[in-house]
Amino acid sequence: MPTFSRVAPQELPMPLLLLADPSEHHIATYLEGALCYLASEQGQPVGACVLNVNRDGVLELFNIAVAIEAQAQGIGSALLEHVIADARAQGHARIELGTGTFGHQLAFYQRAGFRVESVIRDHFLDHYDEPIHEQGIQHKDMLRLALTL
């Protein structure tokens, strides 16, 4: 199992972050001042997570990614559990996030206890220059999910 550590934003490998968000420009908008976590195995980065405080007591999860060669081994789930436990320990009340309306990410967050709260129509059409496809379907709308800590 990997080790987890809080790191400075510049310590997160961009290729890893791009697995979860295909826009370097978009990533740059949420990296500054972010709470960043790195999962490592044998000294090599295998996972990353980026959050920011969006209002008092509430964190926004912007990015969580696992290296392709390390996927389907429980690293993402363990990283998310670590992040949730750390957020609780810091006294945060809630974690919110946005994700697509289908795909493995939605099930991943729901298994961790996140619940759907709203839909933002056309988010992926309005905020990304290139279409984002998964399982042959274009992502258009964003689901907003939250977990009360």
Side-chain angles (χ1 to χ4, degrees), residues 66-121:
V66 173
I68 292 170
E69 65 277 5
Q71 291 179 3
Q73 298 175 29
I75 293 169
S77 295
L79 176 57
L80 185 56
E81 287 175 22
H82 176 81
V83 167
I84 291 168
D86 197 48
R88 277 192 186 109
Q90 292 178 40
H92 294 286
R94 180 176 165 94
I95 299 175
E96 298 176 351
L97 62 90
T99 192
T101 56
F102 60 90
H104 70 275
Q105 300 92 336
L106 180 57
F108 170 75
Y109 293 123
Q110 289 176 320
R111 278 193 302 273
F114 285 83
R115 303 275 313 266
V116 174
E117 294 199 331
S118 65
V119 178
I120 300 174
R121 291 184 55 81

Side-chain angles (χ1 to χ4, degrees), residues 31-32 35 39 43 50 55-56 63 117 121 128:
L31 265 185
E32 188 172 332
L35 299 172
V50 179
R55 61 184 187 276
D56 192 36
N63 190 311
E117 294 199 331
R121 291 184 55 81
Y128 288 86

Side-chain angles (χ1 to χ4, degrees), residues 3-132:
T3 59
F4 304 109
S5 55
R6 286 238 343 238
V7 298
Q10 61 271 19
E11 294 180 59
L12 294 178
M14 184 59 68
L16 194 53
L17 297 176
L18 287 167
L19 293 173
D21 186 337
S23 169
E24 259 188 76
H25 171 74
H26 195 243
I27 291 168
T29 66
Y30 56 73
L31 265 185
E32 188 172 332
L35 299 172
C36 300
Y37 296 83
L38 188 65
S40 301
E41 284 188 331
Q42 300 173 338
Q44 297 300 309
V46 293
C49 186
V50 179
L51 303 99
N52 260 305
V53 177
N54 70 5
R55 61 184 187 276
D56 192 36
V58 178
L59 291 172
E60 173 95 13
L61 192 153
F62 283 99
N63 190 311
I64 187 166
V66 173
I68 292 170
E69 65 277 5
Q71 291 179 3
Q73 298 175 29
I75 293 169
S77 295
L79 176 57
L80 185 56
E81 287 175 22
H82 176 81
V83 167
I84 291 168
D86 197 48
R88 277 192 186 109
Q90 292 178 40
H92 294 286
R94 180 176 165 94
I95 299 175
E96 298 176 351
L97 62 90
T99 192
T101 56
F102 60 90
H104 70 275
Q105 300 92 336
L106 180 57
F108 170 75
Y109 293 123
Q110 289 176 320
R111 278 193 302 273
F114 285 83
R115 303 275 313 266
V116 174
E117 294 199 331
S118 65
V119 178
I120 300 174
R121 291 184 55 81
D122 297 330
H123 173 82
F124 294 103
L125 300 175
D126 295 341
H127 295 283
Y128 288 86
D129 294 333
E130 298 292 323
I132 300 172

